Amino acid sequence: MGILALSQWEKQNEGITLFPSFTLEVPEPSVLAIYTHTHIRDVLLQAFLGKNVLSEGTVTVNGHSLRGPKDYTQAIGVCRLSDGLYGRLRVREQIRLYQQLHRSLWSVDELLAMTKLKDRARARVKHLTYSEKQRLKLIRLCAQHPVLGVFEEPDQNVDLETKRIMARLFQCLQDEGVTVLLLTSNMESAVLLAEDIYRLEASGLQKVRTQSEEEKEDPPGTPGDGALTLPFDKIPSRLNEKLVLFHPTEIDFVESVQGQAHLHVQGDTFPAVFTLAELEERLQPFGFFRCHRSYIVNLQNVREIMTWTRNSYTLVLNDASQAEIPLSKTKMAALKTMLGIK
């Protein structure tokens, strides 16, 4: 038995299966994500708060089954989007309240440093930016130091600096023996912040292939009978029965969503005619790189390579939106070789 087990979790609602029975065991502290839609996410949040919302299911922590609300509160910390803050308090006062409430082993200054809020310590909470408030919310769970920390959409609408801080913070919690579980409807957030990703829907809980699984590339596609033959230097997209042609230099990156490749061009998205594997072959001579199982990026448009955790990286594009593209660990070495970096 690992440190955490969700056993036979199931939810039926008026005869409709929201999600069938599943079991998830976590043998050691880790950062994982469950990618699902809002309705299921809300049910999971209520369950982790110890409320009797599941049709079936138990939670076991360190070999002990959680029974009542007190057991859940001691073992599980939940950070929701709807959680409030005391606007009139100063940041240092808010953190001291968390520290005293949970008898945290971390000092106020350490908690300020972890979330990069030291220069805002004297500011009133109501004067913080949205991103700074989200960082402050995370401090409560750091102070609580639960066995399991559950975070609802932690990086939703926050700035780039806050995303980086969250990634480091989750890694720090894992190193301190805390298992971090992210509940999100954004696959990009799951890829960037978590080591293991699961998809939960009406068909059940499925693990999403990441990292080492990404080495198994899609087999090269072959156009079927009647496939359109175009000059190699044009990439087609079909829109409303019209064929739009793009030069490779116009394309920022290509993304695969549910098996359909999409071209991202100057902030707009266009469905591609070819598969991701076919596009990789056609775009490679123009400086494109398969950085992730679901992404091909134009390296000419990459401004920055960021390290999120020891197993997670991202590419920041040099465009108006500063789009962030996942870079898998297995592709990092190949990219360094391409760039001549040791």
Side-chain angles (χ1 to χ4, degrees), residues 310-326:
R310 67 181 72 144
N311 294 316
S312 181
Y313 310 89
T314 189
L315 304 174
V316 181
L317 300 190
N318 188 26
D319 60 5
S321 65
Q322 294 189 350
E324 300 170 29
I325 310 301

Side-chain angles (χ1 to χ4, degrees), residues 104-145:
S104 174
L105 299 177
W106 281 317
S107 69
V108 172
D109 286 336
E110 286 175 325
L111 292 169
L112 280 168
M114 289 168 63
T115 49
K116 304 295 182 184
L117 289 172
K118 200 167 185 177
D119 61 341
R120 303 287 280 159
R122 295 182 179 276
R124 296 196 183 278
V125 172
K126 64 182 179 181
H127 294 147
L128 298 181
T129 66
Y130 175 80
S131 293
E132 290 169 339
K133 288 178 181 177
Q134 294 307 105
R135 287 186 241 162
L136 186 56
K137 286 183 180 181
L138 299 186
I139 289 181
R140 178 172 59 81
L141 261 65
C142 292
Q144 183 180 350
H145 204 281

Side-chain angles (χ1 to χ4, degrees), residues 86-253:
Y86 296 99
R88 293 186 178 182
L89 291 182
R90 299 188 187 277
V91 172
R92 179 177 288 276
E93 294 171 339
Q94 176 80 73
I95 295 175
R96 185 179 292 114
L97 179 63
Y98 290 149
Q99 187 209 30
Q100 294 174 348
L101 180 64
H102 298 290
R103 299 179 181 178
S104 174
L105 299 177
W106 281 317
S107 69
V108 172
D109 286 336
E110 286 175 325
L111 292 169
L112 280 168
M114 289 168 63
T115 49
K116 304 295 182 184
L117 289 172
K118 200 167 185 177
D119 61 341
R120 303 287 280 159
R122 295 182 179 276
R124 296 196 183 278
V125 172
K126 64 182 179 181
H127 294 147
L128 298 181
T129 66
Y130 175 80
S131 293
E132 290 169 339
K133 288 178 181 177
Q134 294 307 105
R135 287 186 241 162
L136 186 56
K137 286 183 180 181
L138 299 186
I139 289 181
R140 178 172 59 81
L141 261 65
C142 292
Q144 183 180 350
H145 204 281
V147 177
L148 172 66
V150 181
F151 298 85
E152 179 190 16
E153 300 287 2
D155 66 341
Q156 186 179 95
N157 299 325
V158 301
D159 57 30
L160 185 57
E161 180 186 13
T162 299
K163 290 183 180 182
R164 294 177 181 175
I165 291 169
M166 286 180 177
R168 291 195 295 267
L169 184 62
F170 294 154
Q171 188 66 65
C172 180
L173 286 171
Q174 179 186 357
D175 293 342
E176 291 291 326
V178 177
T179 289
V180 176
L181 174 60
L182 314 178
L183 302 180
T184 181
S185 57
N186 187 318
M187 180 58 76
E188 184 177 340
S189 295
V191 170
L192 291 177
L193 295 174
E195 296 176 359
D196 296 309
I197 304 168
Y198 298 85
R199 183 195 301 270
L200 180 58
E201 49 196 3
S203 59
L205 183 74
Q206 300 291 333
K207 188 171 183 180
V208 177
R209 291 193 303 163
T210 57
Q211 296 179 6
S212 61
E213 290 92 343
E214 291 159 10
E215 294 179 335
K216 302 175 183 178
E217 299 290 356
D218 297 331
T222 54
D225 293 337
L228 184 63
T229 301
L230 294 169
F232 185 77
D233 62 347
K234 294 291 184 180
I235 303 298
S237 172
R238 193 180 300 280
L239 290 174
N240 299 324
E241 303 303 318
K242 294 183 179 179
L243 205 60
V244 181
L245 305 181
F246 296 105
H247 192 275
T249 57
E250 298 180 88
I251 301 171
D252 297 316
F253 66 98

